[in-house]
């Protein structure tokens, strides 16, 4: 029987951090055995420290994909005062984690997920997987999936009561285009709507872009213990 699967985020980076961290730390431990002297001891110490940091970052990414992402989704969705009739947009929905989670709060509303389905950003990333997950979650009639770029959304101004995005915007290159994505979120959000954007980098730059676009920034702060990894969430509303 098929099971719901929301994928592993940045799988190559996670694997490389864990492997590289182990290799560097073990090599660092062995180094002083070659010829014990002060220079080699210092290099060895630094290798063990850096190797351990890489390894722990990789393991944190693993913990995030296994548990933290679900806790982060639940936290983000708990910040919305659901009525059931909302129009929701999930930017960079991947396999539908937030889109499906939001859909479960809806009665007459719709949850729309957009993505370009990049496989380097999420394992097994495809529109078919996203559709299959929606079906398995029992929300297929409440969702709508589209292949769109966050920088140039085709939706009309003021279309959505809720805009969500998790671990998407940092992927946008060049970095200057991340501001474009924030402006698009501001444009499609309805007055009194709420946008919640989570990312593993500090959300200060996104908050600045939202303020520049005329949104009210309610908070922009870290949630490491929720995510079991680096995670900041910015919450904004439109006057
Ligand atoms: C790390 S995954 C996170 C997926 C999902 N939000 C989750 O939390 O499970 C990042 C997603 O952003 C998408 N993405 C990257 N750049 C994008 C862009 N310019 N427009 C839309 N989606 C994008 C990727 O294809 C990928 O599905």
């Amino acid at each position: 029987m098929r099971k719901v699967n929301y994928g592993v985020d940045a799988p190559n980076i996670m694997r490389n951090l864990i492997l590289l961290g182990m290799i560097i730390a073990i090599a660092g431990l062995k180094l002083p055995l070659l010829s014990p002297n002060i220079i080699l001891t210092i290099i060895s110490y630094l290798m063990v420290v850096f190797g351990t940091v890489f390894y722990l970052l990789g393991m944190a990414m693993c913990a995030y994909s296994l548990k933290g992402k679900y806790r982060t989704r639940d936290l983000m969705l708990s910040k919305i005062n659901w009525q059931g009739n909302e129009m929701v947009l999930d930017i960079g929905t991947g396999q539908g984690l937030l889109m499906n989670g939001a859909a479960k709060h809806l009665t007459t509303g719709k949850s729309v997920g957009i993505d370009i389905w990049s496989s380097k950003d999420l394992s097994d990333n495809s529109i078919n997987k996203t559709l299959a997950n929606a079906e398995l979650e029992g929300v297929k009639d409440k969702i709508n999936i589209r292949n769109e770029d966050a920088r140039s959304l085709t939706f009309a101004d003021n279309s959505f009561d809720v805009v969500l995005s998790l671990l998407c915007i940092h992927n946008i290159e060049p970095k200057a285009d991340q501001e474009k994505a924030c402006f698009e979120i501001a444009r499609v959000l309805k007055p009194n709507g709420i946008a919640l954007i989570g990312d593993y980098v500090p959300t200060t730059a996104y908050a600045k872009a939202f303020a520049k676009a005329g949104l009210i920034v309610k908070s922009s702060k870290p949630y490491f213990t929720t995510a079991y990894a680096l995670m900041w969430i910015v919450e904004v509303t439109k006057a």
Side-chain angles (χ1 to χ4, degrees), residues 8-24 49-68 167 200 227-230:
V8 174
D9 301 80
N12 297 340
I13 298 177
M14 184 184 86
R15 185 203 55 217
N16 292 348
L17 277 171
I18 292 175
L19 285 180
L20 205 70
M22 277 166 52
I23 292 168
I24 294 175
V49 170
F50 280 107
T52 308
V53 169
F54 288 173
Y55 177 78
L56 290 177
L57 283 173
M59 290 308 282
M61 286 177 76
C62 188
Y64 173 79
S65 283
L66 289 173
K67 278 247 177 253
L167 288 185
Y200 88 99
Y228 299 141
L230 298 178

Side-chain angles (χ1 to χ4, degrees), residues 6-10 64 69 90-98 114-123 125 148-151 153 165-173 181:
Y6 289 109
V8 174
D9 301 80
Y64 173 79
K69 71 155 88 188
D90 178 16
I91 302 213
T93 191
Q95 292 169 17
L97 178 75
L98 280 162
I114 67 109
D115 206 298
I116 53 168
W117 285 282
S118 141
S119 56
K120 79 171 167 47
D121 300 334
L122 190 67
S123 63
N125 208 5
E148 287 203 16
D149 193 304
R151 287 167 284 197
L153 301 174
S165 183
L166 184 56
L167 288 185
C168 170
I169 295 184
H170 74 272
N171 292 303
I172 298 175
E173 292 286 349

Side-chain angles (χ1 to χ4, degrees), residues 33 47 68 80 97 130 132 141 146 162 189:
L33 302 177
M47 285 172 77
I80 294 149
L97 178 75
T130 315
D141 55 337
R146 292 208 204 172
V162 178
L189 189 66

Side-chain angles (χ1 to χ4, degrees), residues 20-187:
L20 205 70
M22 277 166 52
I23 292 168
I24 294 175
I26 291 169
L29 287 172
K30 299 264 180 215
L31 199 61
L33 302 177
L34 293 178
S35 126
N37 67 57
I38 183 72
I39 304 280
L40 278 189
T41 306
I42 291 170
I43 294 175
S44 144
Y45 177 79
L46 289 173
M47 285 172 77
V48 172
V49 170
F50 280 107
T52 308
V53 169
F54 288 173
Y55 177 78
L56 290 177
L57 283 173
M59 290 308 282
M61 286 177 76
C62 188
Y64 173 79
S65 283
L66 289 173
K67 278 247 177 253
K69 71 155 88 188
Y70 303 99
R71 289 163 54 91
T72 308
R73 170 198 63 190
D74 294 345
L75 175 98
M76 288 171 80
L77 297 178
S78 74
K79 287 180 180 279
I80 294 149
N81 182 16
W82 295 101
Q83 304 300 313
N85 60 353
E86 288 86 356
M87 282 299 294
V88 182
L89 175 63
D90 178 16
I91 302 213
T93 191
Q95 292 169 17
L97 178 75
L98 280 162
M99 175 187 72
N100 293 344
K104 290 186 178 176
H105 291 270
L106 302 177
T107 49
T108 55
K110 261 282 184 262
S111 186
V112 181
I114 67 109
D115 206 298
I116 53 168
W117 285 282
S118 141
S119 56
K120 79 171 167 47
D121 300 334
L122 190 67
S123 63
D124 284 340
N125 208 5
S126 77
I127 197 163
N128 289 337
K129 264 273 171 107
T130 315
L131 269 170
N133 275 346
E135 204 166 346
L136 288 166
E137 293 274 28
V139 294
K140 211 175 162 203
D141 55 337
K142 290 188 190 144
I143 61 111
N144 187 347
I145 304 171
R146 292 208 204 172
N147 196 329
E148 287 203 16
D149 193 304
R151 287 167 284 197
S152 51
L153 301 174
T154 58
F155 306 102
D157 298 358
N158 307 324
S159 296
F160 293 96
D161 304 284
V162 178
V163 180
L164 305 165
S165 183
L166 184 56
L167 288 185
C168 170
I169 295 184
H170 74 272
N171 292 303
I172 298 175
E173 292 286 349
K175 222 170 169 197
D177 280 5
Q178 294 175 6
E179 193 181 62
K180 278 191 197 164
C182 293
F183 289 169
E184 281 295 81
I185 291 170
R187 182 180 70 73

